[in-house]
Amino acid sequence: MDSTTCGFQTALEDFLGDDAGDQVLTYARTHRAAEHLQGYPELLTLEEVAHLLDTETHEVLQITCDHALPAIEIGATIRRYRREDVHNYLHHLSEKPAPDLR
């Protein structure tokens, strides 16, 4: 069996179904929050946070509006996110139970 992530995901999908591999990789991503933030600056852009959360920028803005992820507002349209706040948000996600794998 191929030991790459793609090979692992393909084998898992063959065993558990089409979306199981994505569920496992998403779960692993949120459980390794500190590793994802290594090398990032102290203040992150909206696009950087969206990349880290593997989502779109409008989803990050929704999370910000819901007060789940604080942002520093610079003017009307610019937001920056403290690396520590993003780390705490990812850590919060990792404390939630794993998604059902059927």
Side-chain angles (χ1 to χ4, degrees):
M1 180 191 306
D2 192 345
S3 64
T4 64
T5 303
C6 184
F8 171 75
Q9 183 172 352
T10 302
L12 194 60
E13 287 170 355
D14 289 346
F15 184 70
L16 295 173
D18 287 345
D19 66 341
D22 288 336
Q23 290 177 11
V24 168
L25 293 176
T26 299
Y27 183 73
R29 231 186 337 267
T30 60
H31 279 72
R32 296 172 49 189
E35 291 179 25
H36 287 285
L37 292 168
Q38 289 177 353
Y40 276 90
E42 193 60 37
L43 293 177
L44 287 82
T45 65
L46 176 64
E47 291 77 14
E48 288 171 327
V49 174
H51 175 73
L52 281 166
L53 299 179
D54 195 27
T55 191
E56 301 292 326
T57 55
H58 70 276
E59 293 291 332
V60 176
L61 291 173
Q62 183 61 47
I63 294 167
T64 302
C65 288
D66 293 342
H67 303 288
L69 179 62
I72 299 169
E73 294 185 18
I74 305 168
T77 59
I78 300 172
R79 287 176 179 61
R80 293 294 182 265
Y81 297 85
R82 292 182 335 131
R83 183 173 55 190
E84 181 180 345
D85 291 335
V86 175
H87 178 270
N88 291 340
Y89 180 75
L90 285 168
H91 183 71
H92 168 74
L93 288 179
S94 71
E95 292 175 347
K96 293 184 176 183
D100 226 2
L101 294 179
R102 296 180 200 190

